[in-house]
Amino acid sequence: MITAKPESDHAASLLDIAVVGHTNTGKTSLIRTMLRSTGFGKIEDAAGTTRHVERATIFAGGEAILNLHDTPGIEDPYALHSTLQLLAARHKRLNPNELLEKFMADIAINDPLEQEAKVIRQVLRSDVLLYVIDVREPVLEKYLVEIEILSKAMKPIIPVFNFIAAHRAELELWRRKLAVFNIHASLEFDTVAFTFEAEKRLYQKIQSLAETYYSKLQRLIDHRAKVWRQLCRSGAKRITELIVAVACYREHKGSHAPAGHTPSPTLKLQEFIRQAEQRCLHDLLAMFSFSKKDIALQKIPVRDGQWQLDLFAPGVLKAYGLDVGSSALKGAAAGAGIDLMVGGLSLGAASVLGALAGTGWSTFKRYGKEIQAKIQGTQWLCADDNTLQLLYLRQQQLLDKLMHRGHAACHVDHVDPTPEAGELPSRWQEIINVLRQNPAWNKPSNARNHNTQYQSIESALVHALLRMPDGHQATTVSPG
């Protein structure tokens, strides 16, 4: 549980962490990502968006662990440094921490350094400082002046390198400059390109510098790890539900359709698949605490909470490296096109009478409708292999993006419809064949959920989506 509280309600027993740094480096973004919430604070490209100290409390279950304090940016470090030098000249016996205290005691209302005073006040009240650095910025003297000022508080400082993607050279330069101040315990934490391991390392760094709170922080780390595993698994299970629903679904096809006219059952099946995928998308965004207004995913054709690239649009199969020689949907006689197995014998490969003669009563009860449909020449439409592969690959990429997306981005990314290489689960075709043989699995039920064969399929798909080893090799599909 995570909540934001007013600054006046101070919880003295909790670890207090001040998030500090120059204006517009991503301080509020860091807190949003740690809170898993886009609702904290205000983020804009303009400098100085945060004007007051704001606080949020992070919980492990029902236990409050720490307070995060979002501070205004240090707008004029040179003026602050000069003021502190003048104070030091007049009060030579004050140690650096006492010098900051003296600065706070002398500051007047509407002083030009009022914003800097808000930062210093919170720094003096806090146990640990997270100094956020935008590594895309050159290492200017003003940043080093800020660090020198903050170090006077004699509090542990952890530099947090933000926006590190594709900026390794700049990152190394920042590391060398910080070493001059004997600061080595830095951390890479991209507030846009999120990884749970980076968040875990952040809390472990804080643990090493705040020994008194070690056990509390460990409980937080353990809780966050558990919640993250559950979240990712829930996302994978939701996608599995989509694949199962579509693979099991059939649309009855009339025996006579006008030549050259797309039969309405085809449109109905296509619409069913589109709507099912759209519902899955909305559920996944909600699970990961994103709304359609918050997110635009790079290399995933999603904008404003809608898939932009239609599942059945020309060229989509080719873009995902799939066989373009087959149709997106197929109409087939039950037992032939979808190759239903009856007692181990394919109705598409044997005469109906032969199949009937070779089945027992239990098999007939299970496949009676399919057998009757075969005799009567009934036809169904079902999603073919390419449609199902495309559906899976799109959701796999979407889940990957959501699992590595911070809550700090406020801009709209340019959507690139070109997909990345994806992998199908091992035994993919076997899984699809079994699902097609079990149309009753289209919707959740106790019978389905407790079926050992279904449980095995669900486990295989979940493991594949989370890229967890299951003892089998996956099938790679690359864009062609």
Side-chain angles (χ1 to χ4, degrees):
M1 178 182 176
I2 299 168
T3 60
K5 296 182 180 180
E7 176 61 27
S8 58
D9 179 22
H10 182 65
S13 62
L14 301 185
L15 173 66
D16 282 297
I17 299 175
V19 182
V20 297
H22 202 70
T23 57
N24 211 32
T25 57
K27 298 183 295 297
T28 303
S29 297
L30 174 65
I31 295 179
R32 281 190 175 188
T33 301
M34 294 176 72
L35 294 179
R36 307 277 202 280
S37 171
T38 58
F40 179 84
K42 184 179 181 181
I43 297 178
E44 293 179 357
D45 288 335
T49 303
T50 300
R51 307 305 297 174
H52 304 283
V53 175
E54 297 181 59
R55 192 185 86 203
T57 304
I58 291 184
F59 290 76
E63 180 186 9
I65 302 295
L66 59 86
N67 292 320
L68 290 172
H69 300 270
D70 188 15
T71 65
I74 300 175
E75 296 179 347
D76 194 346
Y78 293 110
L80 177 58
H81 188 260
S82 297
T83 300
L84 292 174
Q85 283 185 318
L86 291 173
L87 282 174
R90 291 199 300 265
H91 305 278
K92 296 183 188 233
R93 294 185 178 182
L94 295 181
N95 65 35
N97 180 271
E98 291 170 338
L99 193 63
L100 294 180
E101 295 279 6
K102 178 62 177 172
F103 166 74
M104 292 304 305
D106 292 350
I107 198 77
I109 298 175
N110 296 323
D111 189 284
L113 292 175
E114 182 181 15
Q115 285 297 104
E116 285 71 17
K118 293 176 183 178
V119 178
I120 298 303
R121 182 182 296 109
Q122 187 55 55
V123 164
L124 292 171
R125 292 175 176 176
S126 298
D127 304 297
V128 176
L129 312 181
L130 299 182
Y131 182 73
V132 182
I133 298 170
D134 182 348
V135 300
R136 300 171 301 182
E137 293 292 319
V139 186
L140 301 176
E141 183 185 34
K142 63 181 180 181
Y143 299 123
L144 304 180
V145 171
E146 286 175 2
I147 295 172
E148 181 185 347
I149 293 170
L150 293 172
S151 65
K152 294 180 185 298
M154 296 188 290
K155 303 292 177 74
I157 300 175
I158 303 177
V160 179
F161 296 119
N162 195 13
F163 308 113
I164 58 176
H167 294 280
R168 305 306 300 182
E170 294 91 334
L171 175 61
E172 291 309 313
L173 179 58
W174 271 104
R175 288 190 189 281
R176 291 196 298 271
K177 290 294 185 180
L178 291 176
V180 174
F181 293 90
N182 200 30
I183 297 176
H184 303 279
S186 57
L187 182 78
E188 300 174 24
F189 192 108
D190 199 312
T191 58
V192 175
F194 171 80
T195 68
F196 177 74
E197 283 304 312
E199 179 183 317
K200 181 180 176 181
R201 287 194 297 271
L202 173 59
Y203 289 126
Q204 289 172 335
K205 293 270 188 185
I206 297 170
Q207 263 185 319
S208 68
L209 297 172
E211 186 69 26
T212 306
Y213 299 92
Y214 188 94
S215 296
K216 269 195 167 188
L217 287 167
Q218 189 59 50
R219 289 196 294 275
L220 176 61
I221 292 170
D222 294 342
H223 174 75
R224 279 292 180 97
K226 179 182 177 182
V227 169
W228 181 248
R229 287 193 301 268
Q230 291 174 340
L231 174 62
C232 295
R233 183 172 178 82
S234 294
K237 288 188 73 171
R238 179 62 184 89
I239 293 172
T240 296
E241 283 285 346
L242 170 66
I243 299 302
V244 169
V246 174
C248 292
Y249 187 81
R250 303 178 188 177
E251 187 67 44
H252 183 270
K253 179 184 178 184
S255 57
H256 301 289
H261 177 73
T262 304
S264 61
T266 300
L267 297 178
K268 289 173 64 177
L269 180 54
Q270 289 182 342
E271 188 59 24
F272 169 81
I273 296 173
R274 288 192 186 99
Q275 292 299 321
E277 186 183 32
Q278 195 63 41
R279 288 193 297 271
C280 182
L281 170 63
H282 289 165
D283 290 345
L284 288 171
L285 292 179
M287 283 180 187
F288 285 85
S289 299
F290 291 111
S291 74
K292 63 183 182 180
K293 294 181 180 179
D294 295 325
I295 194 162
L297 298 170
Q298 289 180 335
K299 295 193 176 181
I300 300 292
V302 172
R303 181 174 291 152
D304 296 329
Q306 301 287 326
W307 285 99
Q308 297 297 298
L309 197 58
D310 188 77
L311 193 66
F312 303 104
V316 177
L317 292 177
K318 184 178 180 180
Y320 278 78
L322 300 175
D323 178 18
V324 296
S326 63
S327 59
L329 292 170
K330 68 169 78 168
I338 51 178
D339 198 25
L340 286 173
M341 301 295 290
V342 180
L345 185 65
S346 171
L347 284 178
S351 68
V352 177
L353 293 177
L356 284 171
T359 60
W361 174 243
S362 60
T363 304
F364 186 82
K365 283 198 302 180
R366 165 63 183 83
Y367 295 104
K369 291 183 179 179
E370 282 82 353
I371 293 171
Q372 183 181 19
K374 178 66 178 179
I375 295 172
Q376 295 176 349
T378 300
Q379 291 185 313
W380 285 298
L381 286 172
C382 65
D384 78 332
D385 293 343
N386 277 339
T387 301
L388 292 168
Q389 289 178 31
L390 174 57
L391 196 65
Y392 175 87
L393 293 175
R394 293 221 306 189
Q395 313 320 305
Q396 181 188 58
Q397 293 177 22
L398 174 61
L399 182 61
D400 283 347
K401 291 295 181 181
L402 290 173
M403 289 169 57
H404 296 90
R405 176 82 176 186
H407 287 79
C410 59
H411 60 282
V412 177
D413 294 323
H414 294 292
V415 176
D416 181 358
T418 305
E420 300 166 345
E423 288 186 344
L424 294 172
S426 59
R427 303 183 292 114
W428 168 260
Q429 197 56 55
E430 177 186 338
I431 288 171
I432 296 305
N433 287 341
V434 172
L435 292 176
R436 283 170 173 163
Q437 294 168 36
N438 291 273
W441 290 356
N442 174 257
K443 296 180 180 179
S445 67
N446 287 332
R448 184 200 76 172
N449 295 342
H450 289 90
N451 183 286
T452 55
Q453 192 174 31
Y454 174 80
Q455 291 172 347
S456 175
I457 289 174
E458 181 184 58
S459 177
L461 290 175
V462 168
H463 277 72
L465 286 162
L466 296 178
R467 305 184 189 279
M468 298 167 59
D470 63 352
H472 300 277
Q473 291 187 348
T475 302
T476 303
V477 177
S478 301

